[in-house]
Amino acid sequence: MAALKDYAVPIFQRLIGVGVYLVILYCTHAINKQNLAKMGLKMFQIIMSLSVIAGYLDAFIPVVILLLIGAALIFMKKKVQAKDEDRTRKHYKSTAENIIEKTVERPTLWPLCGQVVHGVLLGGSSAIYFSKEYPDMGIDYHFL
């Protein structure tokens, strides 16, 4: 999973960048006076779609991968704790270890949940704004 985040996501982003470049080259040579509005809109739609996909790869996919890695680590920790339960009963920790374990705060998922909710609300409000303010933009860009 971490290799996917570190290697595959940048490769896909580079491919999307090449795609944007190719679309610009193609549309630049294909636009003339008769199809300027139609081809310009099509070029803008394709480039915006590719840019949104690149943004998702940059922001959303690493978060999903990290959540999956965290879930796997939690699952493995519970599995190991179940196996080692008998051994921990036999092995008594020192007083210093017990004090350190009780005073160290465990990290929570609340900041991550807040960021996700903030992103969803910001994206939803932007989509509503664009759909109301620019109704001719079309359904393709209401997810901005």
Side-chain angles (χ1 to χ4, degrees):
M1 293 272 193
L4 178 69
K5 178 187 166 294
D6 292 337
Y7 296 113
V9 171
I11 289 172
F12 287 130
Q13 286 177 332
R14 288 183 186 115
L15 289 174
I16 289 171
V18 170
V20 168
Y21 178 71
L22 292 175
V23 167
I24 291 173
L25 282 179
Y26 171 74
C27 290
T28 300
H29 293 290
I31 290 177
N32 56 28
K33 289 182 181 182
Q34 290 79 24
N35 67 355
L36 177 63
K38 185 177 178 182
M39 187 61 91
L41 179 65
K42 185 177 180 180
M43 179 180 73
F44 182 73
Q45 288 174 341
I46 293 171
I47 289 173
M48 287 301 293
S49 298
L50 289 174
S51 299
V52 166
I53 292 170
Y56 273 122
L57 286 173
D58 190 34
F60 183 69
I61 299 297
V63 171
V64 170
I65 291 172
L66 289 174
L67 285 174
L68 290 174
I69 290 172
L73 289 174
I74 290 171
F75 176 73
M76 290 175 59
K77 179 182 176 185
K78 289 182 179 180
K79 192 174 181 181
V80 168
Q81 281 179 346
K83 283 183 178 181
D84 291 338
E85 191 174 82
D86 292 333
R87 283 189 270 178
T88 55
R89 287 182 188 160
K90 294 176 185 174
H91 174 68
Y92 294 103
K93 294 180 181 177
S94 69
T95 307
E97 288 175 332
N98 285 332
I99 292 171
I100 290 172
E101 186 175 326
K102 290 178 183 177
T103 57
V104 174
E105 292 184 22
R106 305 274 183 215
T108 64
L109 291 178
W110 288 114
L112 178 63
C113 293
Q115 290 174 351
V116 170
V117 168
H118 172 71
V120 168
L121 291 175
L122 184 64
S125 62
S126 298
I128 291 170
Y129 171 76
F130 282 119
S131 67
K132 300 294 180 192
E133 190 69 27
Y134 305 104
D136 296 336
M137 187 178 277
I139 195 73
D140 294 337
Y141 298 110
H142 289 181
F143 57 83
L144 287 177

